[in-house]
Amino acid sequence: MRALPLALLGLVLAACDTTPGATDRAFQASGQIIAMGGGAGGAANACFTCHGLKGEGDGVSTPRLAGLDQGYLHKQMEDYASGLRPDEVMTRVARGLDPDARRAVAAWYADLPAPTPGAIASPAPSVWLNGDAARGIVACAACHGTEGQGAGEGQPEVAAQPAAYVLEQIRRWKAGERRNDPRGVMAAAVRPLTDAEARAIAEWLSTRPASQARASASASASVSASAAARPAASRETRRPDRSDGA
């Protein structure tokens, strides 16, 4: 077998090289550039087109990202990229970014100030605050806080999210279309909810103010890690047949 000419060999090796080129590096130079331009994935994947210029969401079905926990946002990006959290749009966006870019854009959104719309005074649904022991429902507030602002240790904030988005996520958890929860906590928690209860939770959360505490690099590395170490109410709902969060 004849050896490849050096010039041809160089082209072959170059084709196998997956190191980002100068153009890709420029488009992924910061989290803000990625959010505004789509990173190496191109303008069609620009985050702001759905999530708003300030990460505020669209108020309808696209979630707010501004001010959310950095570790949580990063985990979701990795789960989209790996297929653990499949989504027609976000899977494509996440896979268009390398790991460093996914980390950078998560950090940028986490550092943005959360929007501060006026909260509407309304009582929390009973199942949110108290759960329903007879049906095996643990109080949502045990992990997400009484006002939906999160309870620390990687338990994400869900306040100030569009009702339609929250309701769709509950539907996905119940249907098994979303399965990136540690130890199956969310899937087990929402399964017994009636449609009316799910709607009441989603609508109430949309009226809650966002937390103004900035996320930081010291925030939880991932929801999975914190939940695995937590012996509280959420662990009571874990399903032993699940392994994606173990």
Side-chain angles (χ1 to χ4, degrees):
M1 179 178 177
R2 295 178 60 186
L4 288 172
L6 288 179
L8 180 58
L9 180 61
L11 289 174
V12 172
L13 292 176
C16 295
D17 184 11
T18 60
T19 303
T23 300
D24 284 354
R25 289 196 300 272
F27 280 123
Q28 298 184 163
S30 72
Q32 183 176 15
I33 290 175
I34 295 166
M36 296 299 123
N45 293 337
C47 310
F48 84 91
T49 58
C50 292
H51 295 285
L53 289 170
K54 299 179 180 179
E56 70 274 25
D58 67 357
V60 181
S61 58
T62 302
R64 164 180 71 89
L65 304 180
L68 295 183
D69 178 80
Q70 179 180 336
Y72 174 76
L73 288 175
H74 184 210
K75 180 184 187 302
Q76 301 315 300
M77 289 297 289
E78 294 302 321
D79 289 351
Y80 283 129
S82 70
L84 186 58
R85 182 179 176 179
D87 183 88
E88 182 178 354
V89 174
M90 284 304 304
T91 296
R92 184 190 73 244
V93 170
R95 287 178 177 173
L97 303 173
D98 64 30
D100 287 340
R102 293 195 289 267
R103 186 178 299 107
V105 75
W108 186 73
Y109 276 114
D111 200 45
L112 288 177
T116 56
I120 300 174
S122 59
S126 175
V127 70
W128 178 273
L129 293 177
N130 306 310
D132 187 338
R135 291 185 290 156
I137 302 177
V138 175
C140 309
C143 291
H144 296 292
T146 57
E147 290 289 295
Q149 294 184 350
E153 296 297 320
Q155 299 167 92
E157 178 177 358
V158 288
Q161 294 290 17
Y165 169 75
V166 174
L167 198 58
E168 172 62 13
Q169 297 313 300
I170 292 175
R171 186 198 68 77
R172 291 187 184 190
W173 289 121
K174 293 179 76 169
E177 296 174 13
R178 181 174 175 181
R179 298 172 61 86
N180 69 324
D181 51 333
R183 301 179 183 273
V185 168
M186 278 300 302
V190 303
R191 188 180 299 110
L193 292 177
T194 66
D195 290 346
E197 287 171 331
R199 190 176 305 108
I201 288 171
E203 292 176 353
W204 177 76
L205 284 173
S206 71
T207 71
R208 299 300 84 206
S211 170
Q212 295 304 306
R214 292 292 188 89
S216 69
S218 62
S220 61
S222 73
V223 176
S224 295
S226 62
R230 187 176 67 249
S234 62
R235 180 167 294 186
E236 297 173 10
T237 66
R238 71 175 181 172
R239 296 190 315 215
D241 60 312
R242 292 292 304 282
S243 61
D244 57 35

PDB file of all heavy atoms in Angstrom, residues 131-152:
ATOM      1  N   GLY A 131     -49.289  19.467  50.048  1.00  0.00           N
ATOM      2  CA  GLY A 131     -49.319  18.162  49.426  1.00  0.00           C
ATOM      3  C   GLY A 131     -50.631  17.459  49.709  1.00  0.00           C
ATOM      4  O   GLY A 131     -51.619  18.083  50.094  1.00  0.00           O
ATOM      5  N   ASP A 132     -50.627  16.150  49.566  1.00  0.00           N
ATOM      6  CA  ASP A 132     -51.808  15.334  49.876  1.00  0.00           C
ATOM      7  C   ASP A 132     -51.316  13.942  50.209  1.00  0.00           C
ATOM      8  O   ASP A 132     -51.072  13.118  49.327  1.00  0.00           O
ATOM      9  CB  ASP A 132     -52.767  15.307  48.686  1.00  0.00           C
ATOM     10  CG  ASP A 132     -54.092  14.609  49.004  1.00  0.00           C
ATOM     11  OD1 ASP A 132     -54.127  13.802  49.965  1.00  0.00           O
ATOM     12  OD2 ASP A 132     -55.080  14.866  48.298  1.00  0.00           O
ATOM     13  N   ALA A 133     -51.142  13.702  51.502  1.00  0.00           N
ATOM     14  CA  ALA A 133     -50.573  12.428  51.942  1.00  0.00           C
ATOM     15  C   ALA A 133     -51.397  11.237  51.482  1.00  0.00           C
ATOM     16  O   ALA A 133     -50.854  10.172  51.173  1.00  0.00           O
ATOM     17  CB  ALA A 133     -50.444  12.423  53.466  1.00  0.00           C
ATOM     18  N   ALA A 134     -52.719  11.409  51.414  1.00  0.00           N
ATOM     19  CA  ALA A 134     -53.587  10.301  51.022  1.00  0.00           C
ATOM     20  C   ALA A 134     -53.297   9.837  49.605  1.00  0.00           C
ATOM     21  O   ALA A 134     -53.479   8.663  49.272  1.00  0.00           O
ATOM     22  CB  ALA A 134     -55.056  10.716  51.142  1.00  0.00           C
ATOM     23  N   ARG A 135     -52.824  10.760  48.766  1.00  0.00           N
ATOM     24  CA  ARG A 135     -52.496  10.398  47.380  1.00  0.00           C
ATOM     25  C   ARG A 135     -50.989  10.319  47.142  1.00  0.00           C
ATOM     26  O   ARG A 135     -50.536  10.184  46.008  1.00  0.00           O
ATOM     27  CB  ARG A 135     -53.124  11.418  46.422  1.00  0.00           C
ATOM     28  CG  ARG A 135     -54.640  11.353  46.349  1.00  0.00           C
ATOM     29  CD  ARG A 135     -55.174  12.310  45.291  1.00  0.00           C
ATOM     30  NE  ARG A 135     -55.022  13.700  45.686  1.00  0.00           N
ATOM     31  CZ  ARG A 135     -54.969  14.717  44.825  1.00  0.00           C
ATOM     32  NH1 ARG A 135     -55.006  14.499  43.525  1.00  0.00           N
ATOM     33  NH2 ARG A 135     -54.867  15.959  45.262  1.00  0.00           N
ATOM     34  N   GLY A 136     -50.227  10.420  48.206  1.00  0.00           N
ATOM     35  CA  GLY A 136     -48.781  10.323  48.077  1.00  0.00           C
ATOM     36  C   GLY A 136     -48.128  11.537  47.458  1.00  0.00           C
ATOM     37  O   GLY A 136     -47.034  11.433  46.889  1.00  0.00           O
ATOM     38  N   ILE A 137     -48.767  12.705  47.573  1.00  0.00           N
ATOM     39  CA  ILE A 137     -48.213  13.929  46.999  1.00  0.00           C
ATOM     40  C   ILE A 137     -47.454  14.705  48.062  1.00  0.00           C
ATOM     41  O   ILE A 137     -48.031  15.101  49.079  1.00  0.00           O
ATOM     42  CB  ILE A 137     -49.325  14.829  46.411  1.00  0.00           C
ATOM     43  CG1 ILE A 137     -50.108  14.075  45.338  1.00  0.00           C
ATOM     44  CG2 ILE A 137     -48.725  16.109  45.833  1.00  0.00           C
ATOM     45  CD1 ILE A 137     -51.275  14.866  44.769  1.00  0.00           C
ATOM     46  N   VAL A 138     -46.176  14.902  47.860  1.00  0.00           N
ATOM     47  CA  VAL A 138     -45.364  15.716  48.757  1.00  0.00           C
ATOM     48  C   VAL A 138     -45.574  17.179  48.392  1.00  0.00           C
ATOM     49  O   VAL A 138     -45.702  17.531  47.214  1.00  0.00           O
ATOM     50  CB  VAL A 138     -43.871  15.351  48.625  1.00  0.00           C
ATOM     51  CG1 VAL A 138     -43.006  16.268  49.467  1.00  0.00           C
ATOM     52  CG2 VAL A 138     -43.649  13.899  49.006  1.00  0.00           C
ATOM     53  N   ALA A 139     -45.615  18.059  49.378  1.00  0.00           N
ATOM     54  CA  ALA A 139     -45.814  19.484  49.121  1.00  0.00           C
ATOM     55  C   ALA A 139     -44.748  20.009  48.161  1.00  0.00           C
ATOM     56  O   ALA A 139     -43.550  19.805  48.378  1.00  0.00           O
ATOM     57  CB  ALA A 139     -45.772  20.255  50.432  1.00  0.00           C
ATOM     58  N   CYS A 140     -45.186  20.700  47.122  1.00  0.00           N
ATOM     59  CA  CYS A 140     -44.247  21.285  46.162  1.00  0.00           C
ATOM     60  C   CYS A 140     -43.281  22.246  46.852  1.00  0.00           C
ATOM     61  O   CYS A 140     -42.109  22.358  46.481  1.00  0.00           O
ATOM     62  CB  CYS A 140     -45.006  22.026  45.074  1.00  0.00           C
ATOM     63  SG  CYS A 140     -46.330  21.100  44.281  1.00  0.00           S
ATOM     64  N   ALA A 141     -43.800  22.943  47.878  1.00  0.00           N
ATOM     65  CA  ALA A 141     -42.996  23.936  48.590  1.00  0.00           C
ATOM     66  C   ALA A 141     -41.793  23.317  49.286  1.00  0.00           C
ATOM     67  O   ALA A 141     -40.818  24.008  49.576  1.00  0.00           O
ATOM     68  CB  ALA A 141     -43.866  24.666  49.612  1.00  0.00           C
ATOM     69  N   ALA A 142     -41.838  22.015  49.550  1.00  0.00           N
ATOM     70  CA  ALA A 142     -40.727  21.359  50.239  1.00  0.00           C
ATOM     71  C   ALA A 142     -39.434  21.469  49.438  1.00  0.00           C
ATOM     72  O   ALA A 142     -38.346  21.537  50.012  1.00  0.00           O
ATOM     73  CB  ALA A 142     -41.067  19.886  50.485  1.00  0.00           C
ATOM     74  N   CYS A 143     -39.550  21.513  48.111  1.00  0.00           N
ATOM     75  CA  CYS A 143     -38.363  21.627  47.268  1.00  0.00           C
ATOM     76  C   CYS A 143     -38.258  22.984  46.581  1.00  0.00           C
ATOM     77  O   CYS A 143     -37.155  23.483  46.372  1.00  0.00           O
ATOM     78  CB  CYS A 143     -38.368  20.538  46.199  1.00  0.00           C
ATOM     79  SG  CYS A 143     -38.131  18.869  46.836  1.00  0.00           S
ATOM     80  N   HIS A 144     -39.397  23.562  46.232  1.00  0.00           N
ATOM     81  CA  HIS A 144     -39.374  24.787  45.441  1.00  0.00           C
ATOM     82  C   HIS A 144     -39.666  26.047  46.251  1.00  0.00           C
ATOM     83  O   HIS A 144     -39.691  27.140  45.681  1.00  0.00           O
ATOM     84  CB  HIS A 144     -40.375  24.674  44.289  1.00  0.00           C
ATOM     85  CG  HIS A 144     -40.033  23.601  43.302  1.00  0.00           C
ATOM     86  ND1 HIS A 144     -38.940  23.677  42.471  1.00  0.00           N
ATOM     87  CD2 HIS A 144     -40.637  22.412  43.028  1.00  0.00           C
ATOM     88  CE1 HIS A 144     -38.883  22.579  41.711  1.00  0.00           C
ATOM     89  NE2 HIS A 144     -39.894  21.802  42.041  1.00  0.00           N
ATOM     90  N   GLY A 145     -39.839  25.906  47.556  1.00  0.00           N
ATOM     91  CA  GLY A 145     -40.082  27.072  48.395  1.00  0.00           C
ATOM     92  C   GLY A 145     -41.543  27.488  48.409  1.00  0.00           C
ATOM     93  O   GLY A 145     -42.292  27.196  47.483  1.00  0.00           O
ATOM     94  N   THR A 146     -41.950  28.175  49.466  1.00  0.00           N
ATOM     95  CA  THR A 146     -43.356  28.543  49.605  1.00  0.00           C
ATOM     96  C   THR A 146     -43.829  29.484  48.514  1.00  0.00           C
ATOM     97  O   THR A 146     -45.006  29.503  48.156  1.00  0.00           O
ATOM     98  CB  THR A 146     -43.616  29.198  50.980  1.00  0.00           C
ATOM     99  OG1 THR A 146     -42.747  30.343  51.116  1.00  0.00           O
ATOM    100  CG2 THR A 146     -43.354  28.230  52.115  1.00  0.00           C
ATOM    101  N   GLU A 147     -42.911  30.283  47.943  1.00  0.00           N
ATOM    102  CA  GLU A 147     -43.276  31.212  46.881  1.00  0.00           C
ATOM    103  C   GLU A 147     -42.720  30.784  45.524  1.00  0.00           C
ATOM    104  O   GLU A 147     -42.734  31.558  44.569  1.00  0.00           O
ATOM    105  CB  GLU A 147     -42.766  32.620  47.212  1.00  0.00           C
ATOM    106  CG  GLU A 147     -43.488  33.290  48.367  1.00  0.00           C
ATOM    107  CD  GLU A 147     -44.919  33.683  47.972  1.00  0.00           C
ATOM    108  OE1 GLU A 147     -45.083  34.535  47.086  1.00  0.00           O
ATOM    109  OE2 GLU A 147     -45.863  33.115  48.558  1.00  0.00           O
ATOM    110  N   GLY A 148     -42.211  29.564  45.449  1.00  0.00           N
ATOM    111  CA  GLY A 148     -41.677  29.077  44.184  1.00  0.00           C
ATOM    112  C   GLY A 148     -40.316  29.620  43.832  1.00  0.00           C
ATOM    113  O   GLY A 148     -39.864  29.508  42.686  1.00  0.00           O
ATOM    114  N   GLN A 149     -39.622  30.219  44.815  1.00  0.00           N
ATOM    115  CA  GLN A 149     -38.327  30.834  44.540  1.00  0.00           C
ATOM    116  C   GLN A 149     -37.149  29.893  44.782  1.00  0.00           C
ATOM    117  O   GLN A 149     -36.002  30.312  44.825  1.00  0.00           O
ATOM    118  CB  GLN A 149     -38.184  32.100  45.375  1.00  0.00           C
ATOM    119  CG  GLN A 149     -39.183  33.173  44.969  1.00  0.00           C
ATOM    120  CD  GLN A 149     -38.991  34.468  45.736  1.00  0.00           C
ATOM    121  OE1 GLN A 149     -38.236  34.527  46.698  1.00  0.00           O
ATOM    122  NE2 GLN A 149     -39.662  35.520  45.300  1.00  0.00           N
ATOM    123  N   GLY A 150     -37.452  28.626  44.899  1.00  0.00           N
ATOM    124  CA  GLY A 150     -36.394  27.655  45.118  1.00  0.00           C
ATOM    125  C   GLY A 150     -36.076  27.522  46.591  1.00  0.00           C
ATOM    126  O   GLY A 150     -36.406  28.394  47.386  1.00  0.00           O
ATOM    127  N   ALA A 151     -35.457  26.419  46.941  1.00  0.00           N
ATOM    128  CA  ALA A 151     -35.127  26.175  48.334  1.00  0.00           C
ATOM    129  C   ALA A 151     -33.638  25.934  48.519  1.00  0.00           C
ATOM    130  O   ALA A 151     -33.212  25.344  49.495  1.00  0.00           O
ATOM    131  CB  ALA A 151     -35.926  24.981  48.864  1.00  0.00           C
ATOM    132  N   GLY A 152     -32.818  26.400  47.563  1.00  0.00           N
ATOM    133  CA  GLY A 152     -31.379  26.214  47.674  1.00  0.00           C
ATOM    134  C   GLY A 152     -30.972  24.793  47.352  1.00  0.00           C
ATOM    135  O   GLY A 152     -31.797  23.924  47.061  1.00  0.00           O
TER     136      GLY A 152
END
